[in-house]
Amino acid sequence: MKKRWLMLLLMGTGFSVFAQEAPKPYGPLPSEAQLNWHEMGMYCIIHFGVDTYTDKEWGFGDENPEIVNPTKFSAEQIVGAAKSGGFKGVVVVAKHHDGLCIWPTKTTDHNISRTKWKDGKGDMMAEYQKACEKLGMQLGVYCSPWDRNSEFYGTQKYVDLYREQLRELYSNYGKLFISWHDGANGGDGYYGGKNETRKIDHTSYYGWPQTWDITRQMQPDAAIFGDVGPDVRWVGNEEGHAGTTSWATYEPKAPDEGRIPANGYVKYWEAVKGHRDGKYWLPAECDVSLRPGWFYHASQNAKVKSPYTLLDLYYKSVGRGADLDLGLSPNRDGLLDDVDVQSLKEFGNLLSQTFAHNLAAGAKLSASNVRAGSVNLYGPKFLLDDDRYSYWSTDDGVTDPSLTLQLKGRQQFNVIRLRENIKLGQRIEALEVDAFVKGQWQKIAEATSIGPNRLIRLPQNISTDKVRLRILKSPVCIALSDFGLYKEPAHLTKPEIARDLEGKVSISTTAPVSGLFYTIDGSMPSTKSTAYKNAFDLQDGGVVRAIAVEGGKSSEAVTADFEMSKSGWKLLDGPEEGKATLALDENPNTFWSTVQKDSTGKFVPAGLSIDMGKVQSISAFSYLPRQDKKLEGMVDQYVFEVSDDGKQWKEVLRGEFSNIRANPINQVLKLSAPVKARYFRFQGLRSVKGNGVTAAEIGVISQ
Ligand code: FUL
């Protein structure tokens, strides 16, 4: 606004010849909904439903809604915890693949009114809306297209019904910031009692162009998330990170030519980086859960991500121009566990401690070029005003300007922040930053793809009174809106916990500390816990938590969750087909594989039979899929059997590894009651891709 007035003033006084026009936008530009989404930076996604009670990640669709009874449900506790972490909104999973709607929909009986919660009179969506309004948070919805409950799934009737569900969600819960559309589809389901596999054509079945017309009409301010947009793209992993170079531009975009590529057909190695010359503004969302899975599983209580892990993900997502979408998993009471709440809060504290003060504030700025020499219109002072759209710009043709900042005294920092005015597109391709140290300029950082937000976390603190920014490459004149220097508070690095093949656990740090303390009962360690001296035995497995202590300060706790040690385990079948021992070597990066090179071959099931050397009490089995980002041989249907003699087998578990393709984490399968056996057998009955079976690790949990 200010700028426009000045322009008018200059033009009115006949000085227009000096005031060069504003820079022309470059490339694709963000819409209003996308701008709001960029400004948010971080939000949470909440998964709660039948899976919370069945301990699954994908319900089959045949669950009795009566199992759902979150007697203490508090949307305010959940949304409040997100807010304390610095998140700006929540996406509520209103319906997951199991089909249970957590609002009283008219489209199906399979909804919240059939649960015991509030005698069937409750509406979780309405409670989230209220909590968001009260706490100043934005609300979004996730309504799964794949519905394993609906008898009509696969027909046009279901598509109409799905659209009606969206209309209900769009009309009853206020203004939404995002409509989240998942691409997963595993085929089989309950489907009104038919228990069959239904194949749909991902490219045409859902009729996305018409469906999203409804979104545009009813929620014009909402960004639409899908595997490839149309407004926000999936980053291609559920680990929470974008590439070190990550463009907001991309193609193709759904529903290009009426098509939307299905989950798994996304080119994740491209989605993570984006396309410099992509035709569309289609920035990445990094979705990752606070826990390993999206739904609550008590078995994952020790694996809630720590505040510093979240901070690391923040740099790798928000710091690379993407948004962070963090999964929250309310428990069976309808609340977040205390550890989850605590971790969010401490993460929020770390963010505010780091970013509260821009240490470049008050610096004297000298730029090598300012557009038309108009410092009041395009000068570098706009870099320090905290407005994402005011900017420093250069003359057309000046694409490699530099800027020196004479800081207000000597400052110590370890984070650099840069932002472009993205209303004019993503322009800058590469830049470097120098610090004046010991009488000369030293390069301290470099970055590519600046865009909406770029955070550079330096490996060490820099102390200086002079900093220089050099733009190396931009196709057009620049429009840089922010430059910031920040100091992330010092923290003691957490220790590492490892177990050797004989089952002995050791705790170590890279630099010496005065003390290491640990627990093996799952509780949080303190200086009152056992002091670590020597490696200790943990044959049966369990949760080890440790802290490092130095100078009266404690590191954050590190947690390792060990399964039963595999020392003394042998393969029954003898021959080393596909290097089967690699599934028992406790190394997540090696794997057993029966996948044949000839990709035309049909899938052949395969398994491993193991002699544990003595009778063990087994309460759960585990399968760690290959960790090298490849899908061949990744099992999604399995059977586990046990035996007393290695000859007669008894089946104890059979089922699917839900969501393994997108989130290939360790799959822990609990038995309804522990069994005693010396031998067990794992078989992969189906793989998500390829003609064989792979396994990074197969494990047993005893308690
Ligand atoms: C995935 C789904 O299949 C997961 O269950 C989860 O909802 C995640 C956010 O998206 O693709």
Short mmCIF file of all heavy atoms in Angstrom, two decimals, residues 45 47 51 57-58 93 96-97 142 146 180 182-185 225 227 234 238 263 285 287 294-295 325 658-659 662, ligand 1:
data_model
loop_
_atom_site.label_atom_id
_atom_site.label_comp_id
_atom_site.label_asym_id
_atom_site.label_seq_id
_atom_site.Cartn_x
_atom_site.Cartn_y
_atom_site.Cartn_z
N ILE A 45 -2.34 -32.82 11.67
CA ILE A 45 -3.42 -33.64 11.10
C ILE A 45 -3.79 -34.67 12.17
O ILE A 45 -2.91 -35.31 12.75
CB ILE A 45 -3.01 -34.27 9.76
CG1 ILE A 45 -4.16 -35.04 9.12
CG2 ILE A 45 -1.77 -35.15 9.87
CD1 ILE A 45 -3.96 -35.34 7.63
N HIS A 47 -5.65 -37.99 13.51
CA HIS A 47 -6.24 -39.30 13.19
C HIS A 47 -6.83 -39.91 14.46
O HIS A 47 -6.11 -40.19 15.41
CB HIS A 47 -5.17 -40.25 12.65
CG HIS A 47 -4.75 -39.97 11.24
ND1 HIS A 47 -3.97 -38.91 10.89
CD2 HIS A 47 -5.01 -40.64 10.08
CE1 HIS A 47 -3.76 -38.92 9.58
NE2 HIS A 47 -4.37 -39.96 9.06
N ASP A 51 -9.61 -47.32 14.30
CA ASP A 51 -8.23 -47.85 14.40
C ASP A 51 -7.60 -47.59 15.77
O ASP A 51 -6.73 -48.32 16.21
CB ASP A 51 -7.33 -47.19 13.33
CG ASP A 51 -7.77 -47.52 11.92
OD1 ASP A 51 -8.66 -48.37 11.77
OD2 ASP A 51 -7.22 -46.93 10.98
N GLU A 57 -3.67 -49.37 11.50
CA GLU A 57 -3.41 -48.13 10.76
C GLU A 57 -4.47 -47.92 9.67
O GLU A 57 -4.76 -46.80 9.28
CB GLU A 57 -2.03 -48.16 10.13
CG GLU A 57 -0.93 -47.77 11.09
CD GLU A 57 -0.95 -46.28 11.45
OE1 GLU A 57 -0.73 -45.45 10.57
OE2 GLU A 57 -1.21 -45.95 12.62
N TRP A 58 -5.03 -49.01 9.17
CA TRP A 58 -6.13 -48.94 8.20
C TRP A 58 -7.20 -49.92 8.66
O TRP A 58 -6.94 -51.14 8.73
CB TRP A 58 -5.70 -49.39 6.80
CG TRP A 58 -4.86 -48.44 6.01
CD1 TRP A 58 -4.49 -47.17 6.34
CD2 TRP A 58 -4.28 -48.70 4.72
NE1 TRP A 58 -3.71 -46.62 5.34
CE2 TRP A 58 -3.58 -47.54 4.32
CE3 TRP A 58 -4.30 -49.78 3.85
CZ2 TRP A 58 -2.89 -47.44 3.11
CZ3 TRP A 58 -3.61 -49.69 2.64
CH2 TRP A 58 -2.92 -48.53 2.28
N VAL A 93 -9.19 -35.62 10.41
CA VAL A 93 -9.58 -36.76 9.57
C VAL A 93 -11.04 -37.05 9.92
O VAL A 93 -11.36 -37.66 10.94
CB VAL A 93 -8.68 -37.98 9.82
CG1 VAL A 93 -9.17 -39.18 9.02
CG2 VAL A 93 -7.24 -37.65 9.45
N HIS A 96 -11.67 -41.80 7.66
CA HIS A 96 -10.48 -42.49 7.16
C HIS A 96 -10.93 -43.63 6.25
O HIS A 96 -12.12 -43.77 5.96
CB HIS A 96 -9.61 -42.98 8.34
CG HIS A 96 -8.18 -43.22 7.97
ND1 HIS A 96 -7.62 -44.47 7.93
CD2 HIS A 96 -7.20 -42.36 7.57
CE1 HIS A 96 -6.34 -44.36 7.55
NE2 HIS A 96 -6.07 -43.09 7.32
N HIS A 97 -9.97 -44.46 5.80
CA HIS A 97 -10.31 -45.49 4.82
C HIS A 97 -11.36 -46.49 5.33
O HIS A 97 -12.03 -47.14 4.53
CB HIS A 97 -9.06 -46.26 4.39
CG HIS A 97 -7.89 -45.39 4.01
ND1 HIS A 97 -8.05 -44.18 3.38
CD2 HIS A 97 -6.55 -45.55 4.18
CE1 HIS A 97 -6.85 -43.63 3.18
NE2 HIS A 97 -5.93 -44.45 3.66
N TYR A 142 -10.04 -33.78 6.13
CA TYR A 142 -9.54 -34.93 5.35
C TYR A 142 -10.72 -35.88 5.28
O TYR A 142 -11.25 -36.28 6.32
CB TYR A 142 -8.38 -35.53 6.11
CG TYR A 142 -7.83 -36.91 5.75
CD1 TYR A 142 -6.46 -37.09 5.59
CD2 TYR A 142 -8.64 -38.04 5.63
CE1 TYR A 142 -5.91 -38.34 5.32
CE2 TYR A 142 -8.10 -39.29 5.36
CZ TYR A 142 -6.75 -39.44 5.21
OH TYR A 142 -6.21 -40.68 4.95
N TRP A 146 -11.11 -43.37 -0.62
CA TRP A 146 -11.23 -44.82 -0.51
C TRP A 146 -12.05 -45.13 0.74
O TRP A 146 -11.72 -44.67 1.83
CB TRP A 146 -9.84 -45.44 -0.42
CG TRP A 146 -9.83 -46.95 -0.36
CD1 TRP A 146 -10.73 -47.80 -0.94
CD2 TRP A 146 -8.88 -47.78 0.32
NE1 TRP A 146 -10.38 -49.11 -0.68
CE2 TRP A 146 -9.25 -49.12 0.10
CE3 TRP A 146 -7.74 -47.51 1.09
CZ2 TRP A 146 -8.53 -50.20 0.61
CZ3 TRP A 146 -7.01 -48.58 1.61
CH2 TRP A 146 -7.40 -49.92 1.36
N TRP A 180 -8.17 -31.94 2.20
CA TRP A 180 -7.05 -32.89 2.06
C TRP A 180 -7.56 -34.17 1.43
O TRP A 180 -8.44 -34.84 1.99
CB TRP A 180 -6.52 -33.17 3.45
CG TRP A 180 -5.05 -33.38 3.61
CD1 TRP A 180 -4.14 -32.44 3.97
CD2 TRP A 180 -4.32 -34.61 3.49
NE1 TRP A 180 -2.89 -33.01 4.08
CE2 TRP A 180 -2.97 -34.33 3.79
CE3 TRP A 180 -4.66 -35.92 3.16
CZ2 TRP A 180 -1.97 -35.30 3.77
CZ3 TRP A 180 -3.67 -36.89 3.14
CH2 TRP A 180 -2.34 -36.58 3.44
N ASP A 182 -6.62 -37.87 0.07
CA ASP A 182 -5.60 -38.92 0.12
C ASP A 182 -5.68 -39.80 -1.12
O ASP A 182 -6.75 -40.01 -1.68
CB ASP A 182 -5.87 -39.76 1.37
CG ASP A 182 -4.78 -40.75 1.58
OD1 ASP A 182 -3.72 -40.32 2.04
OD2 ASP A 182 -4.98 -41.92 1.24
N GLY A 183 -4.52 -40.32 -1.52
CA GLY A 183 -4.49 -41.14 -2.73
C GLY A 183 -4.46 -42.64 -2.47
O GLY A 183 -4.45 -43.42 -3.42
N ALA A 184 -4.44 -43.07 -1.19
CA ALA A 184 -4.23 -44.50 -0.91
C ALA A 184 -5.42 -45.36 -1.34
O ALA A 184 -6.57 -44.95 -1.24
CB ALA A 184 -3.99 -44.71 0.58
N ASN A 185 -5.11 -46.55 -1.82
CA ASN A 185 -6.14 -47.53 -2.11
C ASN A 185 -5.50 -48.91 -2.20
O ASN A 185 -4.73 -49.19 -3.10
CB ASN A 185 -6.84 -47.23 -3.44
CG ASN A 185 -8.03 -48.16 -3.66
OD1 ASN A 185 -7.98 -49.33 -3.29
ND2 ASN A 185 -9.08 -47.63 -4.22
N PHE A 225 -5.28 -30.23 -1.22
CA PHE A 225 -4.12 -31.11 -1.20
C PHE A 225 -4.47 -32.42 -1.89
O PHE A 225 -5.53 -33.01 -1.67
CB PHE A 225 -3.72 -31.44 0.26
CG PHE A 225 -2.69 -32.55 0.36
CD1 PHE A 225 -1.34 -32.25 0.43
CD2 PHE A 225 -3.08 -33.89 0.36
CE1 PHE A 225 -0.39 -33.28 0.49
CE2 PHE A 225 -2.13 -34.92 0.42
CZ PHE A 225 -0.79 -34.61 0.48
N ASP A 227 -2.08 -35.87 -4.12
CA ASP A 227 -0.73 -36.35 -4.44
C ASP A 227 0.01 -35.39 -5.36
O ASP A 227 1.20 -35.12 -5.17
CB ASP A 227 -0.80 -37.74 -5.09
CG ASP A 227 -1.09 -38.81 -4.05
OD1 ASP A 227 -0.91 -38.53 -2.86
OD2 ASP A 227 -1.50 -39.91 -4.45
N TRP A 234 1.98 -33.65 -2.45
CA TRP A 234 2.62 -34.52 -1.45
C TRP A 234 4.11 -34.51 -1.73
O TRP A 234 4.54 -34.60 -2.89
CB TRP A 234 2.06 -35.94 -1.57
CG TRP A 234 2.59 -36.90 -0.56
CD1 TRP A 234 2.81 -36.66 0.77
CD2 TRP A 234 2.97 -38.27 -0.78
NE1 TRP A 234 3.29 -37.80 1.38
CE2 TRP A 234 3.40 -38.79 0.46
CE3 TRP A 234 2.97 -39.11 -1.91
CZ2 TRP A 234 3.83 -40.12 0.59
CZ3 TRP A 234 3.40 -40.42 -1.76
CH2 TRP A 234 3.83 -40.91 -0.52
N GLU A 238 6.60 -39.90 3.98
CA GLU A 238 5.90 -39.55 5.22
C GLU A 238 6.93 -39.40 6.34
O GLU A 238 6.72 -39.81 7.47
CB GLU A 238 4.82 -40.59 5.54
CG GLU A 238 3.67 -40.53 4.53
CD GLU A 238 2.48 -41.43 4.85
OE1 GLU A 238 2.53 -42.18 5.84
OE2 GLU A 238 1.49 -41.37 4.09
N ASN A 263 -1.64 -42.69 -5.40
CA ASN A 263 -0.58 -42.85 -4.42
C ASN A 263 0.33 -43.99 -4.86
O ASN A 263 -0.11 -45.04 -5.25
CB ASN A 263 -1.24 -43.18 -3.08
CG ASN A 263 -0.24 -43.18 -1.94
OD1 ASN A 263 0.94 -42.95 -2.15
ND2 ASN A 263 -0.73 -43.44 -0.76
N GLU A 285 3.85 -30.33 0.70
CA GLU A 285 3.53 -30.51 2.11
C GLU A 285 4.28 -31.73 2.62
O GLU A 285 4.25 -32.79 2.00
CB GLU A 285 2.03 -30.74 2.29
CG GLU A 285 1.67 -30.88 3.75
CD GLU A 285 0.41 -31.69 4.00
OE1 GLU A 285 0.49 -32.93 4.08
OE2 GLU A 285 -0.65 -31.08 4.13
N ASP A 287 4.23 -34.39 5.28
CA ASP A 287 3.43 -34.97 6.36
C ASP A 287 4.23 -36.06 7.06
O ASP A 287 4.89 -36.88 6.45
CB ASP A 287 2.08 -35.49 5.84
CG ASP A 287 2.20 -36.58 4.79
OD1 ASP A 287 3.25 -36.64 4.12
OD2 ASP A 287 1.26 -37.38 4.64
N TRP A 294 0.12 -43.18 12.25
CA TRP A 294 -0.80 -42.03 12.26
C TRP A 294 -1.83 -42.15 13.38
O TRP A 294 -2.28 -41.15 13.93
CB TRP A 294 -1.50 -41.91 10.91
CG TRP A 294 -0.54 -41.55 9.82
CD1 TRP A 294 0.01 -42.41 8.90
CD2 TRP A 294 0.03 -40.27 9.55
NE1 TRP A 294 0.87 -41.73 8.08
CE2 TRP A 294 0.91 -40.42 8.46
CE3 TRP A 294 -0.10 -39.01 10.14
CZ2 TRP A 294 1.63 -39.35 7.93
CZ3 TRP A 294 0.62 -37.94 9.62
CH2 TRP A 294 1.47 -38.13 8.53
N PHE A 295 -2.22 -43.39 13.68
CA PHE A 295 -3.17 -43.60 14.77
C PHE A 295 -2.43 -43.93 16.06
O PHE A 295 -1.25 -44.31 16.04
CB PHE A 295 -4.14 -44.74 14.41
CG PHE A 295 -5.20 -44.31 13.43
CD1 PHE A 295 -4.99 -44.42 12.06
CD2 PHE A 295 -6.40 -43.79 13.88
CE1 PHE A 295 -5.96 -44.01 11.16
CE2 PHE A 295 -7.37 -43.38 12.97
CZ PHE A 295 -7.16 -43.48 11.62
N ASP A 325 3.20 -30.79 8.12
CA ASP A 325 1.89 -31.28 8.57
C ASP A 325 2.17 -32.43 9.53
O ASP A 325 2.50 -33.54 9.11
CB ASP A 325 1.08 -31.75 7.35
CG ASP A 325 -0.30 -32.26 7.73
OD1 ASP A 325 -0.66 -32.16 8.91
OD2 ASP A 325 -1.01 -32.76 6.83
N SER A 658 -0.83 -52.21 6.71
CA SER A 658 -1.48 -51.04 6.11
C SER A 658 -0.50 -49.90 5.92
O SER A 658 0.37 -49.69 6.77
CB SER A 658 -2.59 -50.55 7.03
OG SER A 658 -3.39 -51.62 7.46
N ASN A 659 -0.67 -49.17 4.87
CA ASN A 659 0.08 -47.92 4.63
C ASN A 659 1.60 -48.12 4.58
O ASN A 659 2.36 -47.18 4.76
CB ASN A 659 -0.26 -46.88 5.71
CG ASN A 659 0.05 -45.47 5.26
OD1 ASN A 659 -0.01 -45.17 4.05
ND2 ASN A 659 0.43 -44.60 6.17
N ALA A 662 3.60 -46.00 1.79
CA ALA A 662 3.91 -44.58 2.04
C ALA A 662 4.73 -44.39 3.31
O ALA A 662 5.50 -43.44 3.42
CB ALA A 662 2.61 -43.77 2.13
C1 FUL B 1 -1.90 -41.89 3.96
C2 FUL B 1 -3.01 -42.77 4.54
O1 FUL B 1 -3.10 -44.02 3.89
C3 FUL B 1 -2.60 -42.89 5.98
O2 FUL B 1 -3.39 -43.83 6.67
C4 FUL B 1 -2.67 -41.52 6.62
O3 FUL B 1 -3.99 -41.07 6.66
C5 FUL B 1 -1.77 -40.54 5.86
C6 FUL B 1 -1.85 -39.14 6.34
O4 FUL B 1 -2.08 -40.58 4.48
O5 FUL B 1 -1.72 -41.95 2.65
#
